Amino acid sequence: MNDFRSRLGAPMRTVEKALKLLDFFTDKVTEIGLSDLARLSGIDKATVLRMLQDMAESGFVEQNPENKRWRLGAGILRLARLREAAQPVTRVLTPILERLAGETGETAHASLLSGRDLANIGVIEPARANRVYIEPGLALPLHATASGLAFTAFARPEQRDRVLGRKLSAITGTTPVTRDSLAAMLARTAERGFAVADQTYEAEVYGLAVPLFGPDGFACGALAVATPASRVSEPHERGILAALAPAAAEATRGLGGRVPAHHRITY
Amino acid sequence: MNDFRSRLGAPMRTVEKALKLLDFFTDKVTEIGLSDLARLSGIDKATVLRMLQDMAESGFVEQNPENKRWRLGAGILRLARLREAAQPVTRVLTPILERLAGETGETAHASLLSGRDLANIGVIEPARANRVYIEPGLALPLHATASGLAFTAFARPEQRDRVLGRKLSAITGTTPVTRDSLAAMLARTAERGFAVADQTYEAEVYGLAVPLFGPDGFACGALAVATPASRVSEPHERGILAALAPAAAEATRGLGGRVPAHHRITY
């Protein structure tokens, strides 16, 4: 459970706490009652209600008039349109993801840094039955996913250090939970130019990811391909990387970033 | 300028204030510096910075690393995906808007209640040069737009009263600014089943709107067509309503709502 303390160990401030309430909504949990939100967050009901009412004023949440439960509000769609007008991420990434899923026959997804995790902002699944499903809007932990490793290995040094300084939670049996094991994975990622996550986030899922770079030449996100672990082989992996590397370079350019000269994919 | 007081006249609470900072971003103003945000909001710089940092933790805002100015963050895209997975608004509305713009030759747009205004959540422009441009993500004031009037006239009584109780700002020379003039417009809208806004929000723009209804039979938003005022004629208006009325009924059903039995469009 979320301990509702910020990264610096200090108690969260009100605004941060209120926005964190939104993290309890997922594609499976689309509505939550007040009591449940209070229980999940460990904040008293009166305070949660006040925060919800404040967020409702800006349309971030709304109450289902039928059952009085809370859900994400339409104001989020409005802001997403504005963000997209300012930086047309989805429009740039969708055709790239579609091609990548087509070429690899696997699930292609893109993410950008958002607060302390990567926000998954686009997924295209391949047209085959046995495929990896990625929850829309999933937050990808930096230490436990191929996307997170690809991002962190090429992030600004201070961001990288921040991730290394965190308490690392075990998500599966192979998630790196010590600073040393994570540092080793990041070094290997930096060396090869891409990241591998062998079931570190979800059993039976194998991920390959290449960083997306911002205009400053540091990573701002990642482009990834996720495959059932049972399908992984050296030729398949080579094929995925052959499609992934140019797709990531194209996505970086499309987002207004630049791939630094030293970045090279070596399998 | 925003006076940063909530609808009840009481000073806003921290969370509400922080989220209101996001309203200063538009499709033209995509990045804002700290000092400008402090000036625009009338909140001191240290407080604004703290709020921005708190919102950045959840990815609602981010700092452009190049110029240190603040902009909307990728976390919003993640939440928008979740909201869309829970209630697939965009997917339902886009084909309806496309058909409506095609049939009328005018700009079609949809909005949903979000906080104190309607959030514009979809626009399709027609393929002709002289057309109405609607800013993506625009917040539509309830008293000054056809969408707002269509919504308010069919909203829950307490919502309607709330709008009537507000201080009404003049946006153009024909915006209703007294309780009586707005009440008269709402009565006429309720009677005819659709709303007309003749340049009440923007000079030279004429809007027609029909409410979208939620599952409770009260309005949750509006579907609208905006045309240059110079193009308005009775036959054109009839043609627009003939396309708009069934489109709104279809959109209502697609969003899981229901058109109440008493709702009738009479031109």
Side-chain angles (χ1 to χ4, degrees), chain A residues 2 10 22 27 52 56 63-64 87 107 141 147 169 196 203-204 219 234 262:
Chain A
N2 198 321
L22 302 180
D27 69 334
L52 288 168
Q63 220 173 352
N64 180 339
Q87 298 200 81
T107 300
S147 298
S169 54
V196 174
E204 296 170 22
E234 203 197 295
H262 58 77

PDB file of all heavy atoms in Angstrom, chain A residues 2 10 22 27 52 56 63-64 87 107 141 147 169 196 203-204 219 234 262:
ATOM      1  N   ASN A   2       0.373   2.248  -0.654  1.00  0.00           N
ATOM      2  CA  ASN A   2       1.049   3.530  -0.739  1.00  0.00           C
ATOM      3  C   ASN A   2       1.207   4.102   0.672  1.00  0.00           C
ATOM      4  O   ASN A   2       0.248   4.216   1.410  1.00  0.00           O
ATOM      5  CB  ASN A   2       0.116   4.442  -1.539  1.00  0.00           C
ATOM      6  CG  ASN A   2       0.870   5.631  -2.078  1.00  0.00           C
ATOM      7  OD1 ASN A   2       1.729   6.184  -1.390  1.00  0.00           O
ATOM      8  ND2 ASN A   2       0.562   6.009  -3.301  1.00  0.00           N
ATOM      9  N   ALA A  10       9.673  13.102   3.598  1.00  0.00           N
ATOM     10  CA  ALA A  10       8.858  14.062   4.358  1.00  0.00           C
ATOM     11  C   ALA A  10       7.390  13.745   4.122  1.00  0.00           C
ATOM     12  O   ALA A  10       7.036  13.181   3.097  1.00  0.00           O
ATOM     13  CB  ALA A  10       9.174  15.475   3.889  1.00  0.00           C
ATOM     14  N   LEU A  22      -5.809  10.154  -7.032  1.00  0.00           N
ATOM     15  CA  LEU A  22      -6.190   9.759  -8.394  1.00  0.00           C
ATOM     16  C   LEU A  22      -5.500   8.462  -8.811  1.00  0.00           C
ATOM     17  O   LEU A  22      -5.974   7.763  -9.704  1.00  0.00           O
ATOM     18  CB  LEU A  22      -5.845  10.876  -9.385  1.00  0.00           C
ATOM     19  CG  LEU A  22      -6.487  12.236  -9.106  1.00  0.00           C
ATOM     20  CD1 LEU A  22      -6.056  13.246 -10.159  1.00  0.00           C
ATOM     21  CD2 LEU A  22      -8.002  12.112  -9.081  1.00  0.00           C
ATOM     22  N   ASP A  27      -7.710   0.961 -14.801  1.00  0.00           N
ATOM     23  CA  ASP A  27      -8.696   0.605 -15.818  1.00  0.00           C
ATOM     24  C   ASP A  27      -9.655  -0.458 -15.297  1.00  0.00           C
ATOM     25  O   ASP A  27     -10.695  -0.706 -15.894  1.00  0.00           O
ATOM     26  CB  ASP A  27      -8.050   0.196 -17.144  1.00  0.00           C
ATOM     27  CG  ASP A  27      -7.333  -1.117 -17.053  1.00  0.00           C
ATOM     28  OD1 ASP A  27      -6.903  -1.485 -15.946  1.00  0.00           O
ATOM     29  OD2 ASP A  27      -7.208  -1.793 -18.089  1.00  0.00           O
ATOM     30  N   LEU A  52     -11.640  15.736  -2.659  1.00  0.00           N
ATOM     31  CA  LEU A  52     -12.419  15.343  -3.836  1.00  0.00           C
ATOM     32  C   LEU A  52     -13.266  16.512  -4.325  1.00  0.00           C
ATOM     33  O   LEU A  52     -13.356  16.778  -5.527  1.00  0.00           O
ATOM     34  CB  LEU A  52     -13.315  14.146  -3.506  1.00  0.00           C
ATOM     35  CG  LEU A  52     -12.583  12.816  -3.339  1.00  0.00           C
ATOM     36  CD1 LEU A  52     -13.520  11.772  -2.728  1.00  0.00           C
ATOM     37  CD2 LEU A  52     -12.036  12.303  -4.671  1.00  0.00           C
ATOM     38  N   ALA A  56     -13.039  18.244  -7.823  1.00  0.00           N
ATOM     39  CA  ALA A  56     -14.236  18.258  -8.671  1.00  0.00           C
ATOM     40  C   ALA A  56     -14.474  19.643  -9.265  1.00  0.00           C
ATOM     41  O   ALA A  56     -14.991  19.781 -10.370  1.00  0.00           O
ATOM     42  CB  ALA A  56     -15.459  17.811  -7.869  1.00  0.00           C
ATOM     43  N   GLN A  63     -18.647  12.758  -9.447  1.00  0.00           N
ATOM     44  CA  GLN A  63     -19.381  11.757  -8.717  1.00  0.00           C
ATOM     45  C   GLN A  63     -20.398  11.141  -9.665  1.00  0.00           C
ATOM     46  O   GLN A  63     -21.097  11.865 -10.377  1.00  0.00           O
ATOM     47  CB  GLN A  63     -20.093  12.432  -7.545  1.00  0.00           C
ATOM     48  CG  GLN A  63     -20.062  11.610  -6.300  1.00  0.00           C
ATOM     49  CD  GLN A  63     -20.614  12.351  -5.112  1.00  0.00           C
ATOM     50  OE1 GLN A  63     -20.893  13.542  -5.181  1.00  0.00           O
ATOM     51  NE2 GLN A  63     -20.785  11.648  -4.008  1.00  0.00           N
ATOM     52  N   ASN A  64     -20.430   9.836  -9.726  1.00  0.00           N
ATOM     53  CA  ASN A  64     -21.457   9.162 -10.501  1.00  0.00           C
ATOM     54  C   ASN A  64     -22.791   9.447  -9.816  1.00  0.00           C
ATOM     55  O   ASN A  64     -22.998   9.053  -8.669  1.00  0.00           O
ATOM     56  CB  ASN A  64     -21.162   7.650 -10.515  1.00  0.00           C
ATOM     57  CG  ASN A  64     -22.195   6.883 -11.315  1.00  0.00           C
ATOM     58  OD1 ASN A  64     -23.311   7.362 -11.529  1.00  0.00           O
ATOM     59  ND2 ASN A  64     -21.818   5.690 -11.757  1.00  0.00           N
ATOM     60  N   GLN A  87       2.084  19.792 -27.321  1.00  0.00           N
ATOM     61  CA  GLN A  87       3.103  18.795 -27.656  1.00  0.00           C
ATOM     62  C   GLN A  87       2.383  17.563 -28.184  1.00  0.00           C
ATOM     63  O   GLN A  87       1.976  16.720 -27.397  1.00  0.00           O
ATOM     64  CB  GLN A  87       3.875  18.380 -26.409  1.00  0.00           C
ATOM     65  CG  GLN A  87       4.629  19.499 -25.770  1.00  0.00           C
ATOM     66  CD  GLN A  87       5.707  18.923 -24.879  1.00  0.00           C
ATOM     67  OE1 GLN A  87       6.765  18.531 -25.335  1.00  0.00           O
ATOM     68  NE2 GLN A  87       5.435  18.842 -23.612  1.00  0.00           N
ATOM     69  N   THR A 107       3.433  -6.547 -28.719  1.00  0.00           N
ATOM     70  CA  THR A 107       2.838  -5.329 -28.178  1.00  0.00           C
ATOM     71  C   THR A 107       3.882  -4.210 -28.109  1.00  0.00           C
ATOM     72  O   THR A 107       4.942  -4.385 -27.500  1.00  0.00           O
ATOM     73  CB  THR A 107       2.269  -5.617 -26.779  1.00  0.00           C
ATOM     74  OG1 THR A 107       1.280  -6.635 -26.913  1.00  0.00           O
ATOM     75  CG2 THR A 107       1.646  -4.369 -26.174  1.00  0.00           C
ATOM     76  N   PRO A 141       7.043   1.421 -13.094  1.00  0.00           N
ATOM     77  CA  PRO A 141       8.111   1.722 -12.129  1.00  0.00           C
ATOM     78  C   PRO A 141       9.484   1.725 -12.817  1.00  0.00           C
ATOM     79  O   PRO A 141       9.774   0.857 -13.641  1.00  0.00           O
ATOM     80  CB  PRO A 141       8.022   0.577 -11.117  1.00  0.00           C
ATOM     81  CG  PRO A 141       6.795  -0.196 -11.446  1.00  0.00           C
ATOM     82  CD  PRO A 141       6.343   0.165 -12.800  1.00  0.00           C
ATOM     83  N   SER A 147      11.223  -0.303 -19.946  1.00  0.00           N
ATOM     84  CA  SER A 147      11.089   1.136 -20.239  1.00  0.00           C
ATOM     85  C   SER A 147      11.776   1.967 -19.165  1.00  0.00           C
ATOM     86  O   SER A 147      12.497   2.920 -19.460  1.00  0.00           O
ATOM     87  CB  SER A 147       9.612   1.527 -20.321  1.00  0.00           C
ATOM     88  OG  SER A 147       8.976   0.833 -21.363  1.00  0.00           O
ATOM     89  N   SER A 169      11.022  -1.534  -4.509  1.00  0.00           N
ATOM     90  CA  SER A 169      10.077  -2.574  -4.102  1.00  0.00           C
ATOM     91  C   SER A 169      10.174  -3.781  -5.035  1.00  0.00           C
ATOM     92  O   SER A 169      10.352  -3.643  -6.248  1.00  0.00           O
ATOM     93  CB  SER A 169       8.660  -2.009  -4.121  1.00  0.00           C
ATOM     94  OG  SER A 169       8.402  -1.453  -5.385  1.00  0.00           O
ATOM     95  N   VAL A 196      16.689  -4.612 -21.181  1.00  0.00           N
ATOM     96  CA  VAL A 196      15.964  -5.875 -21.168  1.00  0.00           C
ATOM     97  C   VAL A 196      15.344  -6.023 -19.787  1.00  0.00           C
ATOM     98  O   VAL A 196      15.989  -5.721 -18.789  1.00  0.00           O
ATOM     99  CB  VAL A 196      16.927  -7.053 -21.400  1.00  0.00           C
ATOM    100  CG1 VAL A 196      16.205  -8.383 -21.238  1.00  0.00           C
ATOM    101  CG2 VAL A 196      17.571  -6.948 -22.763  1.00  0.00           C
ATOM    102  N   ALA A 203       5.364 -11.733 -14.260  1.00  0.00           N
ATOM    103  CA  ALA A 203       5.804 -13.060 -14.664  1.00  0.00           C
ATOM    104  C   ALA A 203       5.390 -13.287 -16.111  1.00  0.00           C
ATOM    105  O   ALA A 203       4.349 -12.813 -16.555  1.00  0.00           O
ATOM    106  CB  ALA A 203       5.184 -14.111 -13.750  1.00  0.00           C
ATOM    107  N   GLU A 204       6.218 -13.976 -16.847  1.00  0.00           N
ATOM    108  CA  GLU A 204       5.920 -14.363 -18.241  1.00  0.00           C
ATOM    109  C   GLU A 204       5.962 -13.227 -19.241  1.00  0.00           C
ATOM    110  O   GLU A 204       5.603 -13.408 -20.399  1.00  0.00           O
ATOM    111  CB  GLU A 204       4.566 -15.094 -18.345  1.00  0.00           C
ATOM    112  CG  GLU A 204       4.595 -16.398 -17.586  1.00  0.00           C
ATOM    113  CD  GLU A 204       3.233 -17.053 -17.444  1.00  0.00           C
ATOM    114  OE1 GLU A 204       2.342 -16.751 -18.254  1.00  0.00           O
ATOM    115  OE2 GLU A 204       3.083 -17.869 -16.522  1.00  0.00           O
ATOM    116  N   ALA A 219      17.287  11.253 -21.648  1.00  0.00           N
ATOM    117  CA  ALA A 219      16.055  10.494 -21.862  1.00  0.00           C
ATOM    118  C   ALA A 219      14.852  11.224 -21.279  1.00  0.00           C
ATOM    119  O   ALA A 219      14.942  11.855 -20.223  1.00  0.00           O
ATOM    120  CB  ALA A 219      16.180   9.111 -21.236  1.00  0.00           C
ATOM    121  N   GLU A 234      16.910 -15.770 -29.549  1.00  0.00           N
ATOM    122  CA  GLU A 234      17.862 -14.774 -30.023  1.00  0.00           C
ATOM    123  C   GLU A 234      17.411 -14.143 -31.341  1.00  0.00           C
ATOM    124  O   GLU A 234      17.426 -12.920 -31.466  1.00  0.00           O
ATOM    125  CB  GLU A 234      19.252 -15.395 -30.143  1.00  0.00           C
ATOM    126  CG  GLU A 234      20.325 -14.315 -30.082  1.00  0.00           C
ATOM    127  CD  GLU A 234      21.660 -14.796 -30.596  1.00  0.00           C
ATOM    128  OE1 GLU A 234      22.240 -15.691 -29.964  1.00  0.00           O
ATOM    129  OE2 GLU A 234      22.108 -14.275 -31.642  1.00  0.00           O
ATOM    130  N   HIS A 262      26.454   9.737 -28.958  1.00  0.00           N
ATOM    131  CA  HIS A 262      27.083   8.544 -28.371  1.00  0.00           C
ATOM    132  C   HIS A 262      26.130   7.355 -28.240  1.00  0.00           C
ATOM    133  O   HIS A 262      26.550   6.259 -27.868  1.00  0.00           O
ATOM    134  CB  HIS A 262      27.665   8.886 -26.993  1.00  0.00           C
ATOM    135  CG  HIS A 262      26.624   9.416 -26.048  1.00  0.00           C
ATOM    136  ND1 HIS A 262      25.714   8.611 -25.417  1.00  0.00           N
ATOM    137  CD2 HIS A 262      26.323  10.688 -25.676  1.00  0.00           C
ATOM    138  CE1 HIS A 262      24.907   9.351 -24.675  1.00  0.00           C
ATOM    139  NE2 HIS A 262      25.248  10.622 -24.820  1.00  0.00           N
TER     140      HIS A 262
END
